Amino acid sequence: MTAEGTGPVMAAGRYIGQSVRRREDPRLLTGRGRYVDDVIVPGMLHAAFVRSTVAHGQLRGVDTEAARALPGVVAVLTAADLNPGLRPMWQTMMGPMAPSAPFRPLADADVRYVADPIALVVAENRYIAEDAAELVAADIEPLAPVLEVGAALDGAADLVHPELGSNLAGEIPAAASPALDAAFGDAAHVVTETFYQHRYVCVPMETRGLVAQWDPASEQLTVWAATQGPHEFRAICARILGLPEAHIRVIMGDVGGGFGQKMFPMREDIAVVLATRRLGRPVKWIEDRNENLLSGGHAREEQMTVSVATDDAGHFTGVRADQVENVGAYPFPGNGSTAGAGSLIFPGPYRIPALSYGAKAVYTTTCGRCAYRGPWMMETVAREQMVDVVARRLGIDPLELRRRNVISPAELPFTTATGMVYDTVSPAETLEQAAALIGYDAFREQQAAAREEGRLLGIGLALYIEPSQSFGPLGTEGATVRLEPDGRVALIMGTASHGQSLETTMAQVVAENLGCDIADITFIQGDTAFVPYGAGTGGSRSAVVSAGAARQAALGVRERIVALAATVLEVAPSDLEVADSAVAVRGDPASAMPFAKLAALAYFEHATLPDGAPVTLEVSERFKAPPFTFSNACHAATVEVDPVTGHVSILRYVVSEDCGVMINPMVVEGQIAGGVVQGIGGVLYEHMVYDADGNPLTSTFLDYLLPTAAEAPVIEYGHVETASRLPGGAKGMGEGGAIASPPALANAINDALSPLGIHLASQPMSPSAIVTAIMARDDAS
Amino acid sequence: MKPAPFSYHRPDTLAEAVGTLAAFGDEAKVLAGGQSLVPVMALRLGRFGHIVDLGRVSALTYVRDDGGSIAVGAMTTHAAAGRDPLVAGSVPLLARAIPFIGHFQIRNRGTVGGSCAHADPAAEIPAVAVTLDAEMEAAGPEHTRRIPAAEFFASTYTTTLEPDEVLTALRFPVWPGRTGSAIREFARRSGDFALAGALCAVTLDAGGRIERAAIGLLGLGAVPVRALQAEQAVTGAAPGDLDMTEIGLLAVADTDPPDDVHATSAYRRRVGAAMAAQALTAAVAEAQAGTDAAQEAAHG
Amino acid sequence: MADHVTETREAPEQGVSVAQVSMTVNGTPRRATVESRKTLADTLREDFGFTGTHLGCEHGVCGACTVIVDGAAVRSCLMFAVQAEGADVVTIEGLTPPGGGLSTVQQAFREEHGLQCGFCTPGFVVSVTAYLRDNPAPSDAELRDALSGNLCRCTGYQGIIAAARRAARELAEEQQ
């Protein structure tokens, strides 16, 4: 359901702005997708990992004899086999100097989290590999686990990585600011709160996995990978193995979701690549769900203390933030910290004159962090909950407090205290649109009436600004558009679409800008042997950078087709127009030359063309985007909390989204919805729990609970379209749904509980947690 | 997550099945619908040298009127039992409990006998059996026997079946007269095992007083239990005289539910009390609303 | 296939660890020699080449492996292939209409953007197809409950619910 936007509405083109049905769908709907576990390579062997069952311990020895003797087992590899001789591991976007955990494919002297891979079994099938894995005896002498960030830092706990000398993985010191001190000194109100966010995880429906094939004769490596970034996979393999990139081919077929977990190859991936090199036979590893939950990469576990200084009308005059991230043992990328990005984006859509942001990232003996949809999002989770805390403390309605502090259109371009420049954002408009859509004022009346009956209704808002990440190595993307001899179009891109519908949206961009029928476009991605370099699909960047490249390349081909037609028709290029895969003289439809005819001329019949006639109908472009392009949204949620069971019913959920010109509104709404339900899952259902010994308690879907269709609310959308300054006017938006939904929901729940004098500053807000708070308050009174 | 190897047996008769169990003792495990057992095997939390698949023992799939009780063969799927008119008409509590079991795909394979043999403390079929004082029929190599439901469930995932016995049927007594029944449970998500639940059957006498009441609780202990004190408190009472909230609290007073990642013990008792109150209220309301004929129409 | 366990033991009292199984898959009789512990899901994917059935969890929760066995939607990761001896099995590949193209349910998913990465999609399409065949006029609550046995991580279920609703409506119209 889409409401009328209050912002400027872009006129839809033939394809841009249309909810074109997806070209990916026919094969995916009929079971003809090609995911990595569908890949069969002759002679392929199957891998299974032996993993630590202890969170922290000395690895005294690994006895593989019984495992190796099992019929059907080809090899059992340990650290001694795989770890030596590797060059440093670092991710392109981080650079070689970024702090990171030590990299080792397999545990050697010790184990540093439960599920730490100790040995790799390679066998004729996965059943046998698992049988053999059970026969490997790892002699582990347990050590005390390191689980709490406080204990990890205060010197009482062991070092997770003795070779690093500290459990502090990284630090951003809060900058001293006399202006900020003054703001706090002069403030009418200072409000401080600490917010705790629990550990929850990506859970793509397809786990990680790869098939790696080393050809000793040509010294070439081929990898079929469930990846969000085939070129990054290639680059990292090239680096650590010391191979030329061109000797490595990474092929990404269909991938069943990633959400950040498949952005970078991790230890297991590298171990499998090393195994194929050693054995000279192809090796397939498909992670099972238990492994994915325990070792695929964790996220979100952090806390942030926020102090806000305001004047007596509630205007923010200064904010301090102090963050601690639990990055686990082996995080990716780098040291797993996202505080750098968080520190820049923390002011969000508000006027905050002075700000300081300090952060620490801490290693623990738990699964390492990976990127998860909006990895830095704690800044929004803490900030938006804090706005409501300040509102409650000052006795101002949270909507009103936001109205007083949100950046208004008149203030654009606006430079934040952290140096971010916003010029085409619309937070105030989305705030008003979301409030109107959800019927904020009417709800307050409903809420008051319900309170008379003892029912707990609540409403919550969250505003945020989302960066499309195109800084540094993420700043460019490539596209090749080629008119084929038959007159159809090949679109070859370095994208890694795995649910983002780029096969459709990029084709829309090309069809619109080239003037061809979208049905004539074949989209090719994912094979590093053929496609332009891509930085990976994630980071909300495709609509900016990838679309930019597609557009540029399409316009380039259009120019050439027009030039060729102008030569043939003996008219000026400006007299021609292009539509429906044909070029015609404006006003003279009979003159139309179909692309097929022009292609035939260029490829085959060029002898009939005058000298110098253009015959190259293929353009490759790399598009460079500015480091950040900002989209923004406001989420609004209403809930009812059952005081007996603590069950939270989401009554309505509204998103007012501004991502500039929407290439495909249906796709935009789908991306929002997926993120929103992940955020709802985080607040209400999902919790990756470790016990006091560092054993994970939520290791299957029986205990790690994902929301289902029965728990998902109906999501209502409003759109504001403030074009970016880039050609085409689009902005990225894929992560935002997961960023703003947790604080919107948390705010709604706290609003519902506020008459009971209860405020929850921790997630998850499970039924048991809510009731425990209610019971504690009942006991106290 | 692949299971460990096993030898597979697929008997056609109950006698063969029992014989195989006797031959292999602790090494053998019965496979019914597999919805509980196969995950255990996939996770290698349990391994069995011999799996005895009852899927072809057709004699174990039936729903019969046994005169005064309804007999449900152990290999009857939840889906089939849930559709069966005899169950709907004569054991409405069972018909109402079945939709809470997992999801429809699970109900297509999972069996009433398998659920009882697996004995999850939050499972619905065991709780119905305990609430209605069902009889569990078991067959061994030399005998068959009937075990009262209250004596069948020993502890979490543990029954009093001998290793060489197969659960062959559940016999649910039919409650005559002016009867109502209800199940109320609270789970975090649709289809999950409940954090706490209550099942209730009541019969009213001619004067509208509670002549008989059964209140069963699931998820509040190692096995489903009857809230005997609460049952005593309501028996003989006029429903209008009862404080249902108090009865609910009484129902859970003796329970000691577990603490785990999903809920605390105190939470389970609180919710269990609310569920008991709601289930009793609903069962009474149904009994009050219905004559025998009206009840048939409602349950049909 | 288990290369190193070659015997199909003929002494039934000992049980079998490897067996030849026969079943009809998408209308065609198929046969394979499999270990008794090999799941129906793995057999469909590896021995019969129907890779449209996906493994999302292998413990019976996510529903990505849903197929139809003897008319009932089931989780194929929770069945051993030997249990499907003689059964009639329909996978996602078997739902394509005889003339090709997309079934009504599949087309509804496309219209309503009921899929993004596509990994959970075969399980949903099979489940919805089976469910609507037996429950042609579900209420909204019944539909959501029926869909709750399949997990999706990309769509937030909005498009899936809309697709199932649309399919119910269109199938009902086709019946008239």
Side-chain angles (χ1 to χ4, degrees), chain A residues 36 49 51 82 89 103 105 117 120 207-212 221 223-227 233 236-237 240-241 261-276 283 285-287 295-296 332:
Chain A
V36 72
F49 284 92
R51 296 178 178 275
L82 297 186
M89 148 73 84
F103 179 77
L120 179 59
T207 58
R208 298 178 298 159
L210 70 161
V211 179
L221 175 69
V223 181
W224 291 261
T227 176
F233 203 114
I236 286 176
C237 288
I240 64 178
L241 300 177
Q261 200 171 66
K262 296 173 181 169
M263 209 55 176
F264 308 100
M266 298 202 242
R267 296 165 67 206
E268 292 99 333
D269 303 292
I270 301 303
V272 173
V273 167
L274 293 168
T276 184
V283 179
W285 174 63
I286 304 299
E287 182 183 46
S295 193
F332 291 85

Short mmCIF file of all heavy atoms in Angstrom, two decimals, chain A residues 36 49 51 82 89 103 105 117 120 207-212 221 223-227 233 236-237 240-241 261-276 283 285-287 295-296 332:
data_model
loop_
_atom_site.label_atom_id
_atom_site.label_comp_id
_atom_site.label_asym_id
_atom_site.label_seq_id
_atom_site.Cartn_x
_atom_site.Cartn_y
_atom_site.Cartn_z
N VAL A 36 24.88 -22.56 -4.93
CA VAL A 36 26.17 -23.25 -4.90
C VAL A 36 26.03 -24.73 -4.59
O VAL A 36 26.78 -25.55 -5.13
CB VAL A 36 27.14 -22.54 -3.92
CG1 VAL A 36 26.75 -22.76 -2.47
CG2 VAL A 36 28.56 -22.97 -4.19
N PHE A 49 33.75 -29.71 8.81
CA PHE A 49 34.70 -29.22 9.80
C PHE A 49 34.53 -29.92 11.13
O PHE A 49 33.41 -30.21 11.55
CB PHE A 49 34.54 -27.71 10.00
CG PHE A 49 35.11 -26.89 8.88
CD1 PHE A 49 34.31 -26.50 7.82
CD2 PHE A 49 36.44 -26.52 8.88
CE1 PHE A 49 34.84 -25.75 6.77
CE2 PHE A 49 36.98 -25.77 7.84
CZ PHE A 49 36.18 -25.39 6.78
N ARG A 51 34.92 -29.03 14.94
CA ARG A 51 34.89 -27.73 15.61
C ARG A 51 35.03 -27.86 17.11
O ARG A 51 34.61 -28.86 17.71
CB ARG A 51 33.59 -27.02 15.29
CG ARG A 51 33.44 -26.69 13.78
CD ARG A 51 32.12 -26.03 13.51
NE ARG A 51 31.96 -25.66 12.11
CZ ARG A 51 32.40 -24.53 11.57
NH1 ARG A 51 33.05 -23.65 12.32
NH2 ARG A 51 32.19 -24.27 10.28
N LEU A 82 47.31 -26.59 6.74
CA LEU A 82 46.69 -25.49 5.98
C LEU A 82 47.20 -24.10 6.36
O LEU A 82 47.14 -23.19 5.53
CB LEU A 82 45.17 -25.51 6.17
CG LEU A 82 44.44 -26.75 5.66
CD1 LEU A 82 42.93 -26.56 5.79
CD2 LEU A 82 44.80 -27.08 4.22
N MET A 89 45.97 -11.55 5.49
CA MET A 89 44.56 -11.45 5.10
C MET A 89 44.08 -10.04 5.41
O MET A 89 44.22 -9.58 6.54
CB MET A 89 43.74 -12.49 5.88
CG MET A 89 42.33 -12.09 6.20
SD MET A 89 41.22 -12.10 4.77
CE MET A 89 40.77 -13.84 4.71
N PHE A 103 44.69 -13.92 11.54
CA PHE A 103 43.97 -14.79 10.62
C PHE A 103 44.62 -16.16 10.59
O PHE A 103 45.82 -16.27 10.34
CB PHE A 103 43.96 -14.20 9.20
CG PHE A 103 43.24 -15.10 8.23
CD1 PHE A 103 41.85 -15.15 8.23
CD2 PHE A 103 43.95 -15.95 7.39
CE1 PHE A 103 41.18 -16.01 7.37
CE2 PHE A 103 43.28 -16.81 6.53
CZ PHE A 103 41.89 -16.84 6.53
N PRO A 105 43.31 -20.13 9.16
CA PRO A 105 42.17 -20.93 8.72
C PRO A 105 41.68 -21.88 9.81
O PRO A 105 40.49 -21.93 10.08
CB PRO A 105 42.71 -21.67 7.50
CG PRO A 105 43.82 -20.81 6.99
CD PRO A 105 44.41 -20.18 8.22
N PRO A 117 36.92 -23.70 14.08
CA PRO A 117 37.27 -24.87 13.26
C PRO A 117 38.66 -25.40 13.58
O PRO A 117 39.63 -24.64 13.63
CB PRO A 117 37.19 -24.35 11.83
CG PRO A 117 37.25 -22.87 11.92
CD PRO A 117 36.79 -22.47 13.28
N LEU A 120 39.65 -30.13 9.07
CA LEU A 120 38.79 -30.19 7.88
C LEU A 120 38.84 -31.61 7.33
O LEU A 120 39.90 -32.10 6.95
CB LEU A 120 39.29 -29.19 6.84
CG LEU A 120 38.52 -29.15 5.51
CD1 LEU A 120 37.07 -28.80 5.75
CD2 LEU A 120 39.14 -28.13 4.57
N THR A 207 22.77 -21.06 3.69
CA THR A 207 23.99 -20.91 4.48
C THR A 207 25.17 -20.58 3.57
O THR A 207 25.03 -20.50 2.35
CB THR A 207 24.29 -22.22 5.22
OG1 THR A 207 24.42 -23.27 4.24
CG2 THR A 207 23.17 -22.57 6.18
N ARG A 208 26.32 -20.40 4.18
CA ARG A 208 27.54 -20.18 3.39
C ARG A 208 27.94 -21.47 2.66
O ARG A 208 27.50 -22.55 3.02
CB ARG A 208 28.68 -19.74 4.30
CG ARG A 208 28.43 -18.43 5.03
CD ARG A 208 29.58 -18.07 5.96
NE ARG A 208 29.78 -19.06 7.01
CZ ARG A 208 30.91 -19.23 7.68
NH1 ARG A 208 31.97 -18.48 7.42
NH2 ARG A 208 30.99 -20.15 8.63
N GLY A 209 28.79 -21.32 1.68
CA GLY A 209 29.27 -22.53 1.01
C GLY A 209 30.03 -22.19 -0.25
O GLY A 209 29.94 -21.08 -0.77
N LEU A 210 30.81 -23.15 -0.72
CA LEU A 210 31.57 -22.95 -1.95
C LEU A 210 31.98 -24.30 -2.52
O LEU A 210 31.99 -25.31 -1.81
CB LEU A 210 32.82 -22.09 -1.70
CG LEU A 210 33.97 -22.71 -0.90
CD1 LEU A 210 35.26 -21.95 -1.15
CD2 LEU A 210 33.67 -22.70 0.59
N VAL A 211 32.29 -24.29 -3.78
CA VAL A 211 32.99 -25.39 -4.42
C VAL A 211 34.29 -24.81 -4.95
O VAL A 211 34.25 -23.84 -5.70
CB VAL A 211 32.18 -26.01 -5.58
CG1 VAL A 211 32.97 -27.15 -6.23
CG2 VAL A 211 30.82 -26.50 -5.10
N ALA A 212 35.39 -25.36 -4.51
CA ALA A 212 36.69 -24.82 -4.92
C ALA A 212 37.43 -25.88 -5.73
O ALA A 212 37.49 -27.04 -5.33
CB ALA A 212 37.51 -24.43 -3.70
N LEU A 221 42.69 -21.41 -10.07
CA LEU A 221 41.68 -21.74 -9.06
C LEU A 221 40.32 -21.27 -9.55
O LEU A 221 40.18 -20.13 -9.99
CB LEU A 221 42.03 -21.01 -7.75
CG LEU A 221 41.04 -21.13 -6.60
CD1 LEU A 221 41.00 -22.55 -6.05
CD2 LEU A 221 41.40 -20.14 -5.49
N VAL A 223 36.37 -21.00 -8.18
CA VAL A 223 35.53 -21.10 -6.99
C VAL A 223 34.11 -20.73 -7.35
O VAL A 223 33.87 -19.64 -7.88
CB VAL A 223 36.03 -20.17 -5.86
CG1 VAL A 223 35.14 -20.32 -4.62
CG2 VAL A 223 37.48 -20.45 -5.50
N TRP A 224 33.19 -21.62 -7.07
CA TRP A 224 31.77 -21.28 -7.14
C TRP A 224 31.40 -20.94 -5.69
O TRP A 224 31.60 -21.76 -4.79
CB TRP A 224 30.93 -22.48 -7.60
CG TRP A 224 31.14 -22.86 -9.02
CD1 TRP A 224 30.35 -22.54 -10.08
CD2 TRP A 224 32.20 -23.69 -9.55
NE1 TRP A 224 30.85 -23.09 -11.23
CE2 TRP A 224 31.98 -23.80 -10.94
CE3 TRP A 224 33.30 -24.34 -8.99
CZ2 TRP A 224 32.83 -24.54 -11.78
CZ3 TRP A 224 34.14 -25.07 -9.81
CH2 TRP A 224 33.91 -25.16 -11.20
N ALA A 225 30.91 -19.75 -5.49
CA ALA A 225 30.74 -19.32 -4.10
C ALA A 225 29.38 -18.71 -3.86
O ALA A 225 28.83 -18.01 -4.72
CB ALA A 225 31.82 -18.30 -3.72
N ALA A 226 28.84 -18.95 -2.68
CA ALA A 226 27.69 -18.20 -2.20
C ALA A 226 28.27 -16.91 -1.62
O ALA A 226 28.69 -16.87 -0.48
CB ALA A 226 26.94 -18.98 -1.13
N THR A 227 28.34 -15.88 -2.45
CA THR A 227 29.05 -14.68 -2.05
C THR A 227 28.28 -13.44 -2.45
O THR A 227 27.46 -13.47 -3.37
CB THR A 227 30.46 -14.63 -2.70
OG1 THR A 227 31.09 -13.40 -2.35
CG2 THR A 227 30.38 -14.72 -4.21
N PHE A 233 36.24 -11.88 -3.12
CA PHE A 233 36.64 -13.27 -2.85
C PHE A 233 37.91 -13.57 -3.63
O PHE A 233 38.88 -14.11 -3.10
CB PHE A 233 35.51 -14.21 -3.28
CG PHE A 233 35.53 -15.54 -2.59
CD1 PHE A 233 34.51 -15.90 -1.73
CD2 PHE A 233 36.56 -16.46 -2.81
CE1 PHE A 233 34.51 -17.13 -1.10
CE2 PHE A 233 36.57 -17.68 -2.18
CZ PHE A 233 35.54 -18.02 -1.32
N ILE A 236 41.00 -11.57 -2.22
CA ILE A 236 41.54 -12.10 -0.97
C ILE A 236 42.28 -13.41 -1.21
O ILE A 236 43.37 -13.62 -0.67
CB ILE A 236 40.41 -12.22 0.07
CG1 ILE A 236 40.04 -10.82 0.56
CG2 ILE A 236 40.81 -13.14 1.22
CD1 ILE A 236 38.87 -10.77 1.52
N CYS A 237 41.73 -14.28 -2.03
CA CYS A 237 42.45 -15.52 -2.35
C CYS A 237 43.78 -15.20 -3.02
O CYS A 237 44.81 -15.81 -2.69
CB CYS A 237 41.62 -16.40 -3.28
SG CYS A 237 40.21 -17.18 -2.47
N ILE A 240 46.30 -13.86 -0.27
CA ILE A 240 46.87 -14.74 0.74
C ILE A 240 47.58 -15.94 0.13
O ILE A 240 48.46 -16.52 0.76
CB ILE A 240 45.85 -15.17 1.80
CG1 ILE A 240 44.74 -16.01 1.21
CG2 ILE A 240 45.24 -13.98 2.50
CD1 ILE A 240 43.78 -16.46 2.30
N LEU A 241 47.23 -16.30 -1.11
CA LEU A 241 47.91 -17.41 -1.76
C LEU A 241 49.08 -16.96 -2.60
O LEU A 241 49.86 -17.80 -3.08
CB LEU A 241 46.93 -18.18 -2.65
CG LEU A 241 45.72 -18.79 -1.95
CD1 LEU A 241 44.81 -19.45 -2.97
CD2 LEU A 241 46.15 -19.78 -0.89
N GLN A 261 26.70 -11.30 5.66
CA GLN A 261 27.46 -12.45 6.10
C GLN A 261 28.30 -13.07 4.98
O GLN A 261 29.27 -13.76 5.23
CB GLN A 261 26.50 -13.50 6.65
CG GLN A 261 27.12 -14.52 7.56
CD GLN A 261 26.06 -15.38 8.22
OE1 GLN A 261 25.35 -16.14 7.58
NE2 GLN A 261 25.96 -15.28 9.53
N LYS A 262 27.90 -12.79 3.73
CA LYS A 262 28.63 -13.35 2.60
C LYS A 262 29.43 -12.30 1.84
O LYS A 262 29.80 -12.50 0.69
CB LYS A 262 27.64 -14.05 1.64
CG LYS A 262 26.94 -15.25 2.29
CD LYS A 262 25.85 -15.82 1.40
CE LYS A 262 25.16 -17.00 2.09
NZ LYS A 262 23.93 -17.40 1.38
N MET A 263 29.70 -11.20 2.50
CA MET A 263 30.43 -10.12 1.86
C MET A 263 31.91 -10.47 1.69
O MET A 263 32.56 -10.04 0.74
CB MET A 263 30.30 -8.86 2.72
CG MET A 263 30.36 -7.55 2.00
SD MET A 263 29.17 -7.37 0.65
CE MET A 263 29.53 -5.69 0.20
N PHE A 264 32.44 -11.20 2.65
CA PHE A 264 33.87 -11.50 2.65
C PHE A 264 34.08 -12.99 2.90
O PHE A 264 33.40 -13.58 3.73
CB PHE A 264 34.59 -10.72 3.76
CG PHE A 264 34.31 -9.25 3.73
CD1 PHE A 264 33.37 -8.69 4.59
CD2 PHE A 264 34.96 -8.43 2.82
CE1 PHE A 264 33.08 -7.34 4.55
CE2 PHE A 264 34.68 -7.07 2.78
CZ PHE A 264 33.74 -6.53 3.64
N PRO A 265 35.06 -13.59 2.20
CA PRO A 265 35.38 -14.97 2.56
C PRO A 265 35.94 -15.01 3.97
O PRO A 265 36.69 -14.11 4.37
CB PRO A 265 36.44 -15.37 1.53
CG PRO A 265 37.02 -14.10 1.04
CD PRO A 265 35.96 -13.05 1.17
N MET A 266 35.59 -16.04 4.70
CA MET A 266 36.04 -16.16 6.08
C MET A 266 36.92 -17.39 6.21
O MET A 266 37.29 -18.02 5.22
CB MET A 266 34.84 -16.15 7.01
CG MET A 266 34.04 -14.85 6.91
SD MET A 266 33.04 -14.53 8.36
CE MET A 266 31.41 -14.52 7.69
N ARG A 267 37.20 -17.77 7.41
CA ARG A 267 38.22 -18.81 7.63
C ARG A 267 37.88 -20.12 6.95
O ARG A 267 38.73 -20.77 6.34
CB ARG A 267 38.41 -19.02 9.13
CG ARG A 267 38.97 -17.79 9.85
CD ARG A 267 38.79 -17.89 11.33
NE ARG A 267 39.62 -18.96 11.89
CZ ARG A 267 39.35 -19.61 13.01
NH1 ARG A 267 38.25 -19.32 13.69
NH2 ARG A 267 40.15 -20.55 13.46
N GLU A 268 36.62 -20.52 7.08
CA GLU A 268 36.24 -21.81 6.48
C GLU A 268 36.39 -21.78 4.96
O GLU A 268 36.83 -22.75 4.35
CB GLU A 268 34.80 -22.16 6.85
CG GLU A 268 34.58 -22.48 8.32
CD GLU A 268 34.02 -21.30 9.09
OE1 GLU A 268 34.25 -20.14 8.69
OE2 GLU A 268 33.34 -21.54 10.10
N ASP A 269 36.00 -20.65 4.35
CA ASP A 269 36.12 -20.55 2.90
C ASP A 269 37.57 -20.73 2.48
O ASP A 269 37.88 -21.46 1.53
CB ASP A 269 35.62 -19.19 2.41
CG ASP A 269 34.18 -18.92 2.83
OD1 ASP A 269 33.29 -19.60 2.31
OD2 ASP A 269 33.96 -18.02 3.67
N ILE A 270 38.46 -20.04 3.18
CA ILE A 270 39.88 -20.11 2.83
C ILE A 270 40.40 -21.53 3.08
O ILE A 270 41.19 -22.05 2.30
CB ILE A 270 40.68 -19.06 3.62
CG1 ILE A 270 40.16 -17.65 3.31
CG2 ILE A 270 42.17 -19.20 3.33
CD1 ILE A 270 40.19 -17.27 1.84
N ALA A 271 39.95 -22.15 4.16
CA ALA A 271 40.40 -23.52 4.45
C ALA A 271 40.04 -24.46 3.30
O ALA A 271 40.82 -25.33 2.91
CB ALA A 271 39.79 -24.01 5.76
N VAL A 272 38.84 -24.28 2.75
CA VAL A 272 38.42 -25.15 1.65
C VAL A 272 39.24 -24.87 0.40
O VAL A 272 39.64 -25.79 -0.33
CB VAL A 272 36.91 -24.96 1.38
CG1 VAL A 272 36.47 -25.73 0.15
CG2 VAL A 272 36.11 -25.42 2.60
N VAL A 273 39.53 -23.61 0.14
CA VAL A 273 40.39 -23.26 -1.01
C VAL A 273 41.78 -23.89 -0.82
O VAL A 273 42.35 -24.45 -1.77
CB VAL A 273 40.48 -21.72 -1.14
CG1 VAL A 273 41.60 -21.33 -2.09
CG2 VAL A 273 39.15 -21.15 -1.63
N LEU A 274 42.29 -23.83 0.37
CA LEU A 274 43.60 -24.43 0.63
C LEU A 274 43.53 -25.95 0.48
O LEU A 274 44.49 -26.58 0.02
CB LEU A 274 44.06 -24.06 2.04
CG LEU A 274 44.36 -22.58 2.24
CD1 LEU A 274 44.53 -22.26 3.72
CD2 LEU A 274 45.61 -22.17 1.46
N ALA A 275 42.40 -26.52 0.83
CA ALA A 275 42.27 -27.97 0.73
C ALA A 275 42.30 -28.42 -0.72
O ALA A 275 42.95 -29.41 -1.06
CB ALA A 275 40.97 -28.42 1.40
N THR A 276 41.60 -27.68 -1.60
CA THR A 276 41.63 -28.11 -3.00
C THR A 276 43.02 -27.97 -3.59
O THR A 276 43.46 -28.78 -4.40
CB THR A 276 40.58 -27.38 -3.86
OG1 THR A 276 40.61 -27.93 -5.19
CG2 THR A 276 40.83 -25.90 -3.95
N VAL A 283 36.68 -29.49 -4.10
CA VAL A 283 36.10 -29.71 -2.78
C VAL A 283 34.90 -28.80 -2.61
O VAL A 283 34.97 -27.60 -2.87
CB VAL A 283 37.13 -29.40 -1.65
CG1 VAL A 283 36.49 -29.61 -0.27
CG2 VAL A 283 38.37 -30.28 -1.80
N TRP A 285 32.11 -27.40 0.12
CA TRP A 285 31.68 -27.25 1.51
C TRP A 285 30.39 -26.49 1.53
O TRP A 285 30.33 -25.37 1.02
CB TRP A 285 32.73 -26.51 2.35
CG TRP A 285 32.24 -26.23 3.76
CD1 TRP A 285 31.91 -27.18 4.70
CD2 TRP A 285 32.02 -24.96 4.36
NE1 TRP A 285 31.50 -26.55 5.86
CE2 TRP A 285 31.55 -25.20 5.68
CE3 TRP A 285 32.16 -23.64 3.94
CZ2 TRP A 285 31.23 -24.17 6.56
CZ3 TRP A 285 31.85 -22.62 4.82
CH2 TRP A 285 31.38 -22.89 6.12
N ILE A 286 29.35 -27.10 2.08
CA ILE A 286 28.09 -26.41 2.32
C ILE A 286 27.89 -26.39 3.83
O ILE A 286 27.74 -27.43 4.46
CB ILE A 286 26.91 -27.13 1.63
CG1 ILE A 286 27.17 -27.28 0.13
CG2 ILE A 286 25.61 -26.37 1.88
CD1 ILE A 286 27.32 -25.97 -0.63
N GLU A 287 27.90 -25.20 4.36
CA GLU A 287 27.71 -25.01 5.80
C GLU A 287 26.33 -25.53 6.20
O GLU A 287 25.36 -25.30 5.47
CB GLU A 287 27.81 -23.51 6.07
CG GLU A 287 27.69 -23.08 7.51
CD GLU A 287 27.74 -21.56 7.64
OE1 GLU A 287 27.04 -20.88 6.86
OE2 GLU A 287 28.47 -21.07 8.52
N SER A 295 28.95 -20.17 13.79
CA SER A 295 30.23 -19.73 13.24
C SER A 295 30.13 -18.85 12.01
O SER A 295 31.15 -18.42 11.48
CB SER A 295 31.09 -20.97 12.92
OG SER A 295 32.44 -20.61 12.67
N GLY A 296 28.92 -18.60 11.52
CA GLY A 296 28.79 -17.85 10.28
C GLY A 296 29.03 -16.35 10.44
O GLY A 296 29.13 -15.62 9.46
N PHE A 332 35.02 -10.24 10.98
CA PHE A 332 35.30 -9.79 9.62
C PHE A 332 34.33 -8.65 9.31
O PHE A 332 33.17 -8.75 9.69
CB PHE A 332 35.05 -10.94 8.62
CG PHE A 332 36.04 -12.05 8.71
CD1 PHE A 332 35.85 -13.08 9.63
CD2 PHE A 332 37.16 -12.09 7.89
CE1 PHE A 332 36.78 -14.11 9.72
CE2 PHE A 332 38.07 -13.12 7.97
CZ PHE A 332 37.89 -14.13 8.90
#
